[in-house]
Structures are given as C-alpha cells and as structure tokens.
Amino acid sequence: MADLGMPLLVFNLGGEMSYILEQRLQAQAIDSEKNRKVLQDIIGAMLNQSFLDELFKPQPLSSTTSARSLFDRLAHSSIMRLSESSMDKLFDLMTMGFKYQILCSKAPAELVDITLNHLESMLAMVAPGPVAARVEYAIQRVQAVYGQMPFGQMNLVRQALLLFLQDKRVKVSLFLQDGLQTQNGVMVLPTGGVLAPGVERPRLVWYFDRSGSVIATKEFPAPAAYEARTASTPRTKLGLNLD
C-alpha cells in the first residue's frame, strides 16, 4: 500500500504552501479579496476533480523534481507570479514543514489527522462554492481510503513519505528560533505528550527468563510527561499553521 502515498504528499505539501502564501500575501498588505482569490485559484487547481481521480490511483511517489514542478504549476495557476528563487524557497519551506510533522507523528494513523488538518484549514481559506465542495470531497476521500487502513499498510505509506523527505535538511528560521532545528538542519523532536494507541507510559523495565516469563520489573523516572491516548483525546495539532 506504499503506492497510495501520493494523495497525502500532495494534500500536506499543498496545505503548507497555502499557509506560506497566505502569510506572504498578508505581509505585503494585499487586499483581502485578492488574497482569497489567489488562494482559491491555487486550491481549486490542486483539487481539480480529474486531478484528484488520478491522484488516488495506486502509483509510486513522484520524485522531488516532479513534485517541485507540480507545485510550481499550481502556484502559478493564479495571478500571482514567483521567481525561480522564490519558488525554490517556497518548496523548501513546504517540505521541511511536512517533514517535521511526519517525524513528530506518534503512529502511522496520525498521518490521516495531519492531512485532515491541512485540508480543513484550506477549506477555511476559500469561499463557499465549487472550490469548497472540492475540498470537502478530498476530505471524504481521505477518510474513506485511509480512515480504516490497517496499521501495517499505513506504516508502508509513512515509510514511503519519509524516503521522499529524507534528504531535505534546509534550515528554517522559524524552526531555529523555536529550538525545533539545530544549526546543521537536524530536526529536534519533542518528548512526552500523547502516546500512540495501545502504548503504555514508559516507566518500567521488564526482565524475562529464558522461557519468556517475567521474573522482575524495575521502575525508572520517565524523561517527560506522557499521556495515554483515549477515545476523548483531541486530534493532533500537527498540520495546523505553525504561525
């Protein structure tokens, strides 16, 4: 099922692109209506019906070069124009943002929540109408395809996405300021927080004999505060706008 990674790659990178462009347009004091029109054109092109249908067909992940080319075309589907250098920086920010999120995810299934956070944020950026309907359709497809996907298959999708992102090590000023990245580009991952489903809080070392029976346990202080996941645990905030 690693051949079902393309929708997650496009939706998550597309969500990151939407955040960055929205912030840039606001920083340039672009009129709010023009701001919305630019984002609506880009999101509408990204979630075009025929493109979505192709996206959900089983296929290997595209190369970094192909993905960069795809988002170049999407970014220029509106009246906005970016130089080659600006597009390179935009793509680096998109990929590093998603890389941090996927590395922080506690379980493969959390990729679904990260993707839904991106899509629902894009839904809030567009006006009610045809484009909003496309976003809602994409949300439904993600829930239908990945919502009940078995752990092993979802893990293959996660591994494929990590392989796509593994060589990206661009320093991001926001990450550096918040201590989320070292000066050589390595991500600093948080400890503690909500555990993956079925995982107990780290606090015991178990000792077994040769037959596999527990002969002793030893408690140790946990390095951070951990919380068990329950049915009422809120969805992860990964995938939401960092700013």
Side-chain angles (χ1 to χ4, degrees), residues 14-73:
E16 290 299 305
M17 180 173 72
S18 300
Y19 294 152
I20 297 164
L21 293 180
E22 182 180 48
Q23 291 166 5
R24 288 184 179 179
L25 291 168
Q26 290 173 349
Q28 295 170 12
I30 301 296
D31 176 78
S32 59
E33 283 304 312
K34 187 175 291 186
N35 185 334
R36 181 182 285 265
K37 177 70 165 57
V38 168
L39 293 171
Q40 183 140 320
D41 287 346
I42 292 172
I43 293 170
M46 186 190 316
L47 302 180
N48 177 278
Q49 182 70 55
S50 59
F51 178 63
L52 280 181
D53 291 340
E54 287 297 318
L55 202 57
F56 275 94
K57 292 179 180 178
Q59 59 190 291
L61 285 182
S62 64
S63 66
T64 302
T65 302
S66 296
R68 162 67 171 74
S69 178
L70 167 64
F71 283 99
D72 192 338
R73 294 195 301 274

Side-chain angles (χ1 to χ4, degrees), residues 9 46-48 54 68 72 115 125 135 147 149 156 166 170 201 212 231 236 239:
L9 180 69
M46 186 190 316
L47 302 180
N48 177 278
E54 287 297 318
R68 162 67 171 74
D72 192 338
T115 307
M125 294 178 186
V135 182
M149 185 175 283
L156 289 176
Q166 69 176 352
V170 180
R201 284 179 294 176
T236 179

Side-chain angles (χ1 to χ4, degrees), residues 59 119 138 233:
Q59 59 190 291
L119 286 170
T233 300

